[in-house]
Amino acid sequence: MAGRRPADPLLLPGQKWLTVLVLLLPTAFLALRSPLVLLAVPPLAARFWSADPAYWDVRQHYNAVLMPILFLALADGLGRVRGEAPGRERTLPRRVALLVPALVPVLALLLFPTSLVGSAPPRLADARAVLATVPDGARVAAANRLAPQLTGRCTVSLFPYLTRPGRDAPWGRPTAEWVAVLDRPDDFPLPEAEMVRARAELADQGYREVAAGGGVAVYRWSSD
């Protein structure tokens, strides 16, 4: 693409800079005073190089593994600041100890909808009843947000990557007699349009809808 610089995949779009800001803000940016912060650069750069927005979205879990590094860098950076300003040795750690915990709820309120706090998803009971139609021990291909509800009692693979019974499955992927999907799919692991198309093709593969409600539908494969 004309005008594209080699570093653009690491720097653009601007969402990546928001992720960097969110990572450093809980440390009051004191992590930048320590060379330990450089340990976070390789995994962060690898994520930013990806074309998948999930790897650099602040709402995903990928930032969790970086926080121990950043808080160690905070402790080291705090020690360096104290060494540079001996007269502030007692007051600075106390101020940082008060500031850092205060930043966490502020970030949470800014990044996530407050309407979700203390409320259950709509029609939750109906959705659970639909998922309960999948028997214990079944092999099921489930949407990303439904999979955690089934992993404790079923063998789960990720929809739309499924192999129907009687077909050879790729190594490590079980066949799926059952499928659990969302009426309004998100864009993971494929764009929403492709997820909708994959659901529409279930009937052609021998899956029949057996239960629906609460924004969830369950299909079962039949050889008939």
Side-chain angles (χ1 to χ4, degrees):
M1 184 182 297
R4 185 179 178 87
R5 297 169 297 180
D8 280 354
L10 289 175
L11 304 177
L12 299 174
Q15 175 71 33
K16 297 176 180 179
W17 290 102
L18 175 62
T19 299
V20 173
L21 175 66
V22 169
L23 285 169
L24 292 174
L25 194 56
T27 73
F29 297 98
L30 286 172
L32 294 174
R33 301 298 299 268
S34 170
L36 292 176
V37 75
L38 296 176
L39 294 174
V41 173
L44 194 59
R47 287 168 47 197
F48 282 6
W49 193 263
S50 170
D52 188 345
Y55 286 119
W56 24 274
D57 193 310
V58 295
R59 296 169 296 178
Q60 302 298 332
H61 60 280
Y62 301 107
N63 291 326
V65 296
L66 298 178
M67 296 316 298
I69 297 174
L70 295 176
F71 280 116
L72 284 174
L74 166 62
D76 183 52
L78 186 57
R80 293 171 183 270
V81 172
R82 290 176 62 187
E84 295 170 1
R88 300 167 60 190
E89 286 186 0
R90 294 184 179 180
T91 59
L92 184 59
R94 190 176 305 165
R95 291 175 181 175
V96 173
L98 294 173
L99 176 63
V100 170
L103 288 173
V104 174
V106 172
L107 283 174
L109 291 173
L110 290 175
L111 295 175
F112 300 100
T114 56
S115 59
L116 296 180
V117 178
S119 61
R123 300 180 292 169
L124 179 59
D126 292 341
R128 286 176 174 170
V130 171
L131 291 178
T133 62
V134 180
D136 292 352
R139 292 176 294 183
V140 53
N144 183 57
R145 285 193 285 159
L146 299 178
Q149 309 298 321
L150 296 164
T151 52
R153 59 185 185 86
C154 299
T155 300
V156 180
S157 57
L158 184 63
F159 182 81
Y161 306 123
L162 79 159
T163 304
R164 68 176 186 262
R167 294 295 183 91
D168 293 330
W171 183 88
R173 183 198 301 169
T175 57
E177 297 96 350
W178 297 78
V179 175
V181 295
L182 295 164
D183 289 344
R184 298 180 62 183
D186 51 24
D187 57 357
F188 182 86
L190 296 176
E192 182 179 350
E194 294 185 38
M195 300 287 284
V196 171
R197 183 165 55 250
R199 178 180 179 177
E201 294 172 351
L202 287 174
D204 296 334
Q205 300 182 56
Y207 292 92
R208 301 291 180 265
E209 185 177 296
V210 295
V216 176
V218 168
Y219 292 75
R220 185 179 185 181
W221 183 82
S222 174
S223 58
D224 298 336

